[in-house]
Structure formats: C-alpha cells, structure tokens
Amino acid sequence: MASKTLNPFVFLQQVRSETAKVTWPTRRETLISTVMVLIFSVLTMLFFFAADQLMGFAVELILGIGR
C-alpha cells in the first residue's frame, strides 16, 4: 500500500502531475459525442412514447374503457 502524505502542498503537486497526464477530448470529439447523445435521447423518447401509446391502446381495448 502506498504511503500517505498529509502535506497539502505535496498533494496539490501530485494532483497537478496527474491532471497533466489526462488526455482531453478535442472539440470535434466533444461535438460528435454530444450529437450522438442527443440523437439517442430522441430515439429513446420516441420508443417509450410509442410503447406507452401501444400499451394504453391495448389496455383500453381489453378493458373496454376509454373513448
């Protein structure tokens, strides 16, 4: 197990060195990921809307209630 240091300055130096190792996404990668999330969110919304409408119609048909 690694030794623990209680010195806040050493901790901040370690945080800076670890942050420097991070590979940040490019603007293009971020844009593509955002668009993909939005598209899949819309597709999911449409799926659940259609499933809800279908189940509602089936319940009305089975129970003979509704319009």
Side-chain angles (χ1 to χ4, degrees):
M1 187 168 172
S3 65
K4 296 181 182 180
T5 58
L6 300 176
N7 187 348
F9 297 110
V10 173
F11 174 75
L12 289 176
Q13 287 175 342
Q14 291 173 349
V15 168
R16 282 188 96 192
S17 69
E18 289 299 319
T19 304
K21 297 177 188 177
V22 174
T23 304
W24 298 101
T26 63
R27 179 178 291 269
R28 185 172 188 271
E29 290 171 336
T30 304
L31 181 67
I32 289 171
S33 297
T34 302
V35 169
M36 288 178 58
V37 166
L38 292 174
I39 288 171
F40 280 105
S41 296
V42 170
L43 290 174
T44 303
M45 177 209 51
L46 291 173
F47 169 77
F48 283 111
F49 177 76
D52 181 55
Q53 292 296 314
L54 183 63
M55 285 186 274
F57 176 74
V59 168
E60 287 179 4
L61 190 65
I62 291 170
L63 297 178
I65 59 174
R67 309 170 202 159

